[in-house]
Amino acid sequence: MLILKPNCECCDKDLPADSKDARICSFECTFCAECAEKTFANLCPNCGGNFVPRPVRPIDKLARFPASTKRFTKAHAVCADLQA
């Protein structure tokens, strides 16, 4: 089951469980569409895999299988520039 990370690992934008803006790779690294497409050209900076839209978990399943609340960020130089 996907963790459904709550934020972009680069710019820290909120990505709630129902976000259509979230992109993930096969290791579930999570980025917003803008960072995935414009900053990383659809290649994950962590593993080199491609990004796909993250599936949306049905609302009736979120109570039993909630999204993660732990925020994730990575120390990529380009991300630090975006957060400054």
Side-chain angles (χ1 to χ4, degrees), residues 1-75:
M1 179 178 354
L2 296 174
I3 297 170
L4 300 178
K5 295 176 183 176
N7 64 302
C8 175
E9 294 180 26
C10 184
C11 71
D12 200 32
K13 177 182 179 177
D14 289 338
L15 296 171
D18 64 349
S19 177
K20 301 215 185 275
D21 190 41
R23 302 293 182 266
I24 61 173
C25 70
S26 66
F27 287 96
E28 208 176 339
C29 301
T30 304
F31 295 87
C32 68
E34 184 170 352
C35 287
E37 295 163 12
K38 294 180 180 175
T39 304
F40 299 114
N42 283 312
L43 291 176
C44 180
N46 301 322
C47 68
N50 66 305
F51 289 115
V52 297
R54 182 179 71 190
V56 173
R57 184 163 299 153
I59 193 96
D60 63 321
K61 303 292 187 222
L62 279 171
R64 186 167 175 208
F65 305 103
S68 175
T69 57
K70 180 181 176 196
R71 297 183 78 82
F72 294 79
T73 55
K74 299 285 181 174

